Amino acid sequence: MTPTNSAEQALEEALALVSRTPGSGGDAGGHRAVAWPRARDVAARAGAGVRARTHDVPLADALGEVLTASLEALTDLPSFDTSAMDGWAVAGPGPWQVRDGAGVLAGSGRPEPIADGEAVRIATGARIPADTTAVIRSEHCREAGGQLFADRPVVTGQDIRPRGQECRSGDLLLPAGSLVTPAVLGLAAAAGYDRLATRRRPRVEILVLGDELLTEGRPHDGLIRDALSPMLAPWLTRLGAEVTTTRTLGDDPAGEAALLEAVTTSTADVLVTTGGTASGPVDHVHPVLEKAGARLLVDGVAVRPGHPMLLARIGDPADGRHVVGLPGNPLAAVSGLLTLAEPLLRALAGRRPRPRYTAPVRGDVAGHPYDTRLVPVRLDDEHAVPLRYHGPAMLRGVAAADALAVVPPRGARSGQELEVLDLPWASGGCFT
């Protein structure tokens, strides 16, 4: 069995434990809730099973993507002996006779060799003249009467960066699968690259469902402001996705038809919907997925808020697309982002899972009798401090939060270590 087939088989076995056909039985409300850790694992496996989509891009366009080929040095670094400091290149023991002229500057051609007992000014990054013994920093010497005197012992080779000190041509600098950070861009440029081979960012289309949503002004007459459209696109972008569009669809038959068309024809890698994932009279997501022939990988998660979230696949596991159905309540939608969308997108982008860490919680935290809770917290120097206003429809708590704490069923005692999920802006940016 090939590694690819083995991975696909493992994925299918994992999904078989938690999936069902849309519209089949389940617990109350038509959902079969998956344990929160397993839901995240299923999402990551689903993304990892999709064939990588790669491209070759200029350095500036590769930021935040993952290398699909190893980064090997195209030249020695440095490619010639260079001065590590502003100062003087000297030959032999001192004192040294100062050579007339402007000295050796970075970017200039090959300098003239220096004779024994001679000194010449040199700039940081400039090519070292032949026969140079050492470079003396400007602050470690003095010039008098046409001679240079060192204020401290001079060691052969000091402050000279020899050719190939950092790497030799052909050396492996970074393996495939490495994240392209600003530092990687600098290293690639120094090593001679103009373009990089990377995995494409997952393309995401957002569909916000509901008739009660206003796009401007104050809530009135039973209508509420759409809090998800302003939030989801930048949030998903910070998770490393390329958001292609955000649309609002109604709960009427026309909206259901538009949802079906989007699910069946969208060219995005991931379709993110909000609302309509429960079993109410105008909740169309499950019926639409059934009509589209989708396979539900996760249909409800044992987590609060966000219980009726879902993950579905359309098409072949290696080439198919995915639908992430988020609940309509804002904090419940955030829960769905961190539970299903983030691990799916990280895997689609070729990124490693986010490192796990814990922090002691300050104060007792109430828990759900059976489900995991995700609670907004502020992180201080030593503790995760729970914040108020953490109801499913509330954003006030998470807007002030650094992270969400993972509270096990039945709650946590003060000082107990809890897993912490950093929010993307608090953890330093896109997919870090």
Side-chain angles (χ1 to χ4, degrees), residues 10 31 35 47 121-122 131 180 221 242 274 317 320 329 331 344 373 389 391 417 423-424 429:
H31 297 294
R121 283 191 179 276
I122 193 166
D131 301 323
V180 179
D221 300 327
E242 177 191 344
T274 70
N329 278 325
L331 188 58
L344 175 69
R373 284 189 68 211
Y389 308 108
E417 294 282 336
L423 298 176

Side-chain angles (χ1 to χ4, degrees), residues 336-371:
L337 282 175
L338 296 178
T339 300
L340 297 178
E342 180 176 357
L344 175 69
L345 290 171
R346 289 184 74 94
L348 287 172
R351 295 288 310 278
R352 292 185 293 271
R354 183 188 292 278
R356 296 180 60 180
Y357 77 97
T358 64
V361 66
R362 179 181 292 172
D364 295 345
V365 185
H368 187 272
Y370 311 109
D371 295 349

Side-chain angles (χ1 to χ4, degrees), residues 88-179:
W88 297 83
V90 299
W96 301 269
Q97 189 68 33
V98 174
R99 178 194 288 179
D100 294 334
V104 185
L105 302 178
S108 60
R110 185 183 298 275
E112 292 293 325
I114 56 176
D116 190 50
E118 191 175 28
V120 61
R121 283 191 179 276
I122 193 166
T124 301
R127 186 191 294 262
I128 295 292
D131 301 323
T132 296
T133 301
V135 170
I136 306 174
R137 303 183 188 192
S138 298
E139 62 268 28
H140 294 166
C141 58
R142 52 191 170 83
E143 183 183 1
Q147 288 189 306
L148 185 73
F149 298 88
D151 295 337
R152 59 186 63 189
V154 176
V155 178
T156 299
Q158 74 180 30
D159 287 325
I160 295 175
R161 294 187 63 213
R163 176 174 182 165
Q165 181 185 52
E166 185 169 2
C167 65
R168 290 289 185 181
S169 180
D171 282 355
L172 175 64
L173 301 178
L174 290 170
S178 299
L179 176 67

